[in-house]
Amino acid sequence: RWMQKRHDLGNELLEENAHLVCRAELNLAVNATNGYDFDLASRILDRWRDLPKAVPGLRYWAQVQSSLGQHAAFRGDPAAAAVLFDQALAAFARLSNPEEGRREARQTQTYRAIALMDDPAGADPEVRAAVEAVVGPLPAAVARLAGSDADADKYPHHLLLRWLVQRPDPSLRATYLQQRPHWPVGEGHPWPLIQLYRGFLLHPDDPAEARNLALEGYALATTENQGPLVRLIGACCRAIAAAWGEPWPAADALLTPVEQALPRAGARVAAVRRFLDQPGEPLELLRTVLPFNFH
């Protein structure tokens, strides 16, 4: 019912202020995405698929393409997602203010790199180039990001580590690990994942410290002010720590409230419980429970 009410209100205001309607619906789509309702998120943006770019304006039209690309990636179609991200980036590049265009494009470039990384058909050189488009030239970016806790660096840092874990490069892994004495820890998302991925890199040589880093990720994701999605990220960190030797007897104290707050993620929470009973491949757990950029 609320969807129809929202749609009717948008219809009333569309001719008066299409920009405002589009911006509001983009925000609603984000809320649906964070609730694991990826189909709803796309339906919220349906009206903008076939309207000319001039109706919402080029900037918001590009944001719609980027959002639809995210929804495709969340549903497990990284190739379709990459096409939509490319359309968004081409539109951002046409904005009259080049600095605004670059700022808008940065997040979509990150989404594109993740989608290419997740696509089994994505060639390693293409994925590397997409990562470099975000983080800067490698290996200099590896050394710089490893020692940075700057707010502007945290999402590129997460992207870099995700890539190092998912598409291993032994030389760049060694470069990152050399900075270990200087690894800072920041606050807020995506620092739980940064700590977890650091644990992945360390696990072959130092499983005890890898376990500690996964536990730190869990602690960061479950502070009092965190919402249910970040807490689910924390649950994955803790489940991986359990697989690495730190039992988690009180798992339900976290999993049950998350399940109640995110009813559409019920199957994902069930996957965490199964993993705790029968630990498998930690990266597969992340792919199952935290699709696309949630991990």
Side-chain angles (χ1 to χ4, degrees):
R1 180 184 289 180
W2 74 267
M3 270 279 291
Q4 189 58 49
K5 204 170 179 180
R6 172 207 57 77
H7 191 73
D8 291 345
L9 183 60
N11 287 340
E12 290 174 22
L13 293 173
L14 189 62
E15 290 187 352
E16 180 179 339
N17 196 330
H19 298 159
L20 181 65
V21 174
C22 188
R23 181 177 177 181
E25 292 183 347
L26 283 162
N27 288 333
L28 286 169
V30 170
N31 288 336
T33 298
N34 288 343
Y36 277 78
D37 199 338
F38 309 126
D39 290 335
L40 173 61
S42 287
R43 287 201 304 276
I44 288 170
L45 298 178
D46 267 347
R47 77 161 87 236
W48 306 103
R49 291 177 188 271
D50 301 318
L51 288 173
K53 296 180 181 69
V55 175
L58 191 58
R59 176 188 173 199
Y60 286 126
W61 183 90
Q63 287 184 12
V64 168
Q65 307 316 303
S66 183
S67 293
L68 293 172
Q70 293 170 60
H71 307 158
F74 278 120
R75 286 192 294 263
D77 193 347
V83 171
L84 287 157
F85 293 143
D86 285 340
Q87 290 175 0
L89 289 169
F92 286 137
R94 291 176 51 205
L95 292 180
S96 59
N97 182 330
E99 180 51 40
E100 182 186 26
R102 283 190 291 271
R103 189 170 60 249
E104 290 281 356
R106 204 165 292 134
Q107 201 167 20
T108 298
Q109 285 175 322
T110 299
Y111 297 148
R112 179 179 181 272
I114 291 173
L116 292 174
M117 193 187 308
D118 287 352
D119 189 346
D124 285 343
E126 182 186 18
V127 177
R128 178 181 175 129
V131 171
E132 279 194 299
V134 177
V135 305
L138 299 166
V142 176
R144 182 180 68 81
L145 289 171
S148 174
D149 61 357
D151 203 51
D153 284 337
K154 63 183 182 179
Y155 288 104
H157 192 172
H158 163 251
L159 173 68
L160 173 72
L161 280 169
R162 194 186 192 281
W163 174 68
L164 285 174
V165 168
Q166 197 161 315
R167 302 270 184 148
D169 181 305
S171 172
L172 292 176
R173 174 182 176 271
T175 299
Y176 191 91
L177 291 175
Q178 282 168 5
Q179 299 298 316
R180 182 176 169 184
H182 312 293
W183 287 354
V185 183
E187 294 181 354
H189 185 71
W191 277 99
L193 291 169
I194 290 173
Q195 291 300 86
L196 178 65
Y197 283 127
R198 284 169 166 172
F200 272 97
L201 293 181
L202 278 176
H203 192 262
D205 303 315
D206 193 345
E209 182 57 20
R211 185 170 63 246
N212 287 338
L213 287 169
L215 290 170
E216 284 183 25
Y218 161 72
L220 287 168
T222 53
T223 54
E224 194 174 332
N225 62 332
Q226 299 294 356
L229 174 56
V230 177
R231 288 177 178 273
L232 184 53
I233 291 171
C236 287
C237 293
R238 188 62 185 84
I240 291 169
W244 288 345
E246 188 74 25
W248 190 21
D252 275 343
L254 176 60
L255 292 176
T256 299
V258 166
E259 199 168 28
Q260 291 167 348
L262 295 172
R264 291 192 170 271
R268 322 279 179 162
V269 176
V272 178
R273 290 196 169 100
R274 283 196 304 275
F275 183 87
L276 287 167
D277 288 338
Q278 291 185 306
E281 168 56 47
L283 264 182
E284 191 55 40
L285 174 74
L286 295 181
R287 293 187 190 105
T288 300
V289 180
L290 304 169
F292 184 47
N293 71 323
F294 284 177
H295 78 280

